[in-house]
Amino acid sequence: MIQIIFNKALGSSLMSTKAVVIDYIKQFLEENGISFNTAKKPENDSWIFRYGTLQFQVGIYLYTRLNQTKIGLVVSGVIGDTPIDKLNKRNLYEKLLALNDQMVEAAFRISENDKILLSISKDVGSVSYKELKSMINTIAKIGDSLDEELKNGF
């Protein structure tokens, strides 16, 4: 997962934006019968939970654009593990790149521990509760349609 670090000295407007997004995450989890506190990772601003057939990782992170610190939101669904065999791994990477070329909002990536992730990232300034829900449902829908093909094909 993207490393998530927050500086306690962030401006109050960034911190209030972060708090609003955390409330959206809490609302989504509670509406789907998932404990906010159980899903929360204590070491950073991220949550891990199962929704549909996928394990999800939702995180809030800092990034800099044009010398301005901003807050981002990343929603990722774990599709599976990458193959051990180098040829199969190469074929998988080619397939994921081809799939990325066909998608507008989401993109496949590989985590530090060789998991295949399907992710959407947004600046939190443009995220409403409806948008967060749409991000999660988009990942769930695409992931459900491709996970078996990716798991069995490599």
Coordinates of all heavy atoms in Angstrom, one line a residue, residues 24-36 39 49-52 56 58 129 132-134 136-137 140:
Y24 N -16.6 9.7 6.1 CA -17.2 9.0 4.9 C -16.8 7.5 5.0 O -17.7 6.6 4.7 CB -16.7 9.6 3.6 CG -17.1 11.0 3.3 CD1 -16.4 11.7 2.4 CD2 -18.3 11.5 3.8 CE1 -16.8 13.0 2.0 CE2 -18.7 12.8 3.4 CZ -17.9 13.5 2.5 OH -18.3 14.8 2.2
I25 N -15.6 7.2 5.3 CA -15.1 5.9 5.4 C -15.9 5.1 6.5 O -16.4 4.0 6.3 CB -13.6 5.8 5.6 CG1 -12.8 6.3 4.4 CG2 -13.1 4.4 5.9 CD1 -11.4 6.6 4.7
K26 N -16.0 5.8 7.6 CA -16.7 5.2 8.7 C -18.2 4.9 8.4 O -18.7 3.8 8.6 CB -16.7 6.1 10.0 CG -17.3 5.6 11.2 CD -17.1 6.5 12.4 CE -17.7 5.8 13.6 NZ -17.4 6.6 14.8
Q27 N -18.8 5.9 7.7 CA -20.2 5.7 7.3 C -20.3 4.5 6.3 O -21.2 3.6 6.5 CB -20.7 6.9 6.6 CG -22.2 6.9 6.1 CD -22.6 8.1 5.4 OE1 -22.0 9.2 5.4 NE2 -23.8 8.0 4.7
F28 N -19.4 4.4 5.3 CA -19.5 3.3 4.4 C -19.3 1.9 5.1 O -20.1 1.0 4.9 CB -18.4 3.4 3.3 CG -18.4 2.2 2.4 CD1 -19.3 2.2 1.3 CD2 -17.6 1.1 2.6 CE1 -19.3 1.1 0.4 CE2 -17.7 0.0 1.7 CZ -18.5 0.0 0.6
L29 N -18.3 1.9 6.0 CA -18.1 0.6 6.7 C -19.3 0.2 7.6 O -19.8 -0.9 7.5 CB -16.8 0.7 7.6 CG -15.5 0.9 6.8 CD1 -14.4 1.1 7.8 CD2 -15.2 -0.4 6.0
E30 N -19.9 1.2 8.3 CA -21.0 0.9 9.2 C -22.2 0.5 8.4 O -23.0 -0.4 8.7 CB -21.3 2.1 10.1 CG -20.3 2.3 11.1 CD -20.4 3.5 12.0 OE1 -21.3 4.4 11.7 OE2 -19.7 3.7 13.0
E31 N -22.5 1.1 7.2 CA -23.6 0.7 6.4 C -23.5 -0.7 5.8 O -24.5 -1.3 5.4 CB -23.7 1.7 5.2 CG -24.3 3.1 5.6 CD -24.4 4.0 4.4 OE1 -24.1 3.6 3.2 OE2 -24.8 5.2 4.6
N32 N -22.2 -1.2 5.8 CA -22.0 -2.5 5.2 C -21.7 -3.5 6.3 O -21.1 -4.6 6.0 CB -20.9 -2.4 4.1 CG -21.4 -1.8 2.9 OD1 -22.2 -2.4 2.1 ND2 -21.1 -0.5 2.7
G33 N -22.0 -3.2 7.5 CA -21.8 -4.1 8.7 C -20.3 -4.4 9.0 O -20.1 -5.5 9.5
I34 N -19.5 -3.5 8.7 CA -18.0 -3.7 9.0 C -17.6 -2.7 10.1 O -17.9 -1.5 10.1 CB -17.2 -3.4 7.7 CG1 -17.6 -4.3 6.6 CG2 -15.7 -3.5 8.0 CD1 -17.2 -3.8 5.2
S35 N -17.0 -3.3 11.1 CA -16.5 -2.4 12.2 C -15.4 -1.5 11.8 O -14.4 -1.9 11.3 CB -16.0 -3.3 13.4 OG -15.3 -2.6 14.3
F36 N -15.6 -0.2 12.0 CA -14.6 0.8 11.7 C -13.4 0.6 12.5 O -12.3 0.6 11.9 CB -15.2 2.2 12.1 CG -14.3 3.3 11.9 CD1 -14.1 3.9 10.6 CD2 -13.6 3.9 13.0 CE1 -13.2 4.9 10.4 CE2 -12.7 5.0 12.8 CZ -12.5 5.5 11.5
A39 N -11.4 -2.6 11.2 CA -10.8 -2.4 9.9 C -9.6 -1.4 10.0 O -8.7 -1.5 9.2 CB -11.9 -1.8 8.9
F49 N -10.5 -4.2 4.9 CA -11.8 -4.9 5.1 C -12.2 -5.8 3.9 O -11.6 -5.5 2.8 CB -12.9 -3.9 5.4 CG -13.1 -2.9 4.4 CD1 -14.0 -3.1 3.3 CD2 -12.4 -1.7 4.4 CE1 -14.2 -2.1 2.4 CE2 -12.6 -0.7 3.5 CZ -13.5 -0.9 2.4
R50 N -13.1 -6.7 4.0 CA -13.6 -7.5 2.9 C -14.9 -6.9 2.5 O -15.8 -6.6 3.3 CB -13.8 -8.9 3.3 CG -14.3 -9.8 2.2 CD -13.9 -11.3 2.3 NE -12.5 -11.6 2.3 CZ -11.8 -11.6 1.1 NH1 -12.3 -11.4 0.0 NH2 -10.5 -11.9 1.2
Y51 N -15.1 -6.7 1.2 CA -16.3 -6.2 0.6 C -16.5 -7.0 -0.7 O -15.6 -7.0 -1.6 CB -16.2 -4.7 0.3 CG -17.5 -4.1 -0.3 CD1 -18.6 -4.0 0.5 CD2 -17.5 -3.7 -1.6 CE1 -19.8 -3.4 -0.1 CE2 -18.6 -3.1 -2.1 CZ -19.7 -3.0 -1.4 OH -20.9 -2.4 -1.9
G52 N -17.6 -7.7 -0.8 CA -17.8 -8.6 -2.0 C -16.8 -9.7 -1.9 O -16.6 -10.3 -0.9
F56 N -10.2 -5.2 0.6 CA -10.0 -3.8 0.3 C -9.0 -3.1 1.2 O -8.9 -3.5 2.4 CB -11.3 -3.0 0.3 CG -12.1 -3.1 -0.9 CD1 -12.8 -4.2 -1.2 CD2 -12.0 -2.0 -1.9 CE1 -13.6 -4.3 -2.4 CE2 -12.8 -2.1 -3.0 CZ -13.5 -3.3 -3.3
V58 N -8.2 0.9 2.1 CA -8.5 2.3 1.8 C -7.6 3.2 2.7 O -7.4 2.9 3.9 CB -10.0 2.6 2.2 CG1 -10.3 4.1 2.1 CG2 -11.0 1.8 1.4
Y129 N -19.2 11.6 -0.1 CA -19.5 10.2 0.3 C -19.9 9.4 -0.9 O -19.5 8.2 -1.1 CB -20.6 10.2 1.4 CG -21.0 8.8 1.7 CD1 -20.2 8.0 2.4 CD2 -22.2 8.3 1.3 CE1 -20.5 6.6 2.7 CE2 -22.6 7.0 1.5 CZ -21.7 6.2 2.2 OH -22.0 4.8 2.5
L132 N -16.8 8.3 -2.8 CA -16.1 7.2 -2.1 C -16.8 5.9 -2.3 O -16.2 4.9 -2.7 CB -16.0 7.4 -0.6 CG -15.5 6.3 0.3 CD1 -14.1 6.0 0.0 CD2 -15.8 6.5 1.7
K133 N -18.1 5.9 -2.2 CA -18.9 4.6 -2.4 C -18.8 4.2 -3.9 O -18.6 3.0 -4.1 CB -20.4 5.0 -2.1 CG -21.3 3.8 -1.9 CD -22.6 4.2 -1.4 CE -23.5 3.1 -1.3 NZ -24.8 3.4 -0.7
S134 N -18.8 5.1 -4.8 CA -18.6 4.8 -6.2 C -17.2 4.2 -6.5 O -17.0 3.2 -7.2 CB -18.8 6.0 -7.1 OG -18.5 5.7 -8.4
I136 N -15.3 2.5 -4.4 CA -15.3 1.1 -3.8 C -16.1 0.2 -4.7 O -15.6 -0.9 -5.0 CB -15.8 1.1 -2.4 CG1 -14.8 1.8 -1.5 CG2 -16.0 -0.3 -1.9 CD1 -15.3 2.1 0.0
N137 N -17.3 0.6 -5.1 CA -18.1 -0.3 -6.0 C -17.5 -0.5 -7.4 O -17.6 -1.6 -7.9 CB -19.5 0.3 -6.1 CG -20.3 0.1 -4.8 OD1 -20.2 -0.9 -4.1 ND2 -21.1 1.1 -4.4
A140 N -14.9 -3.1 -6.8 CA -15.5 -4.4 -6.6 C -16.1 -5.0 -7.9 O -15.9 -6.2 -8.2 CB -16.7 -4.2 -5.6

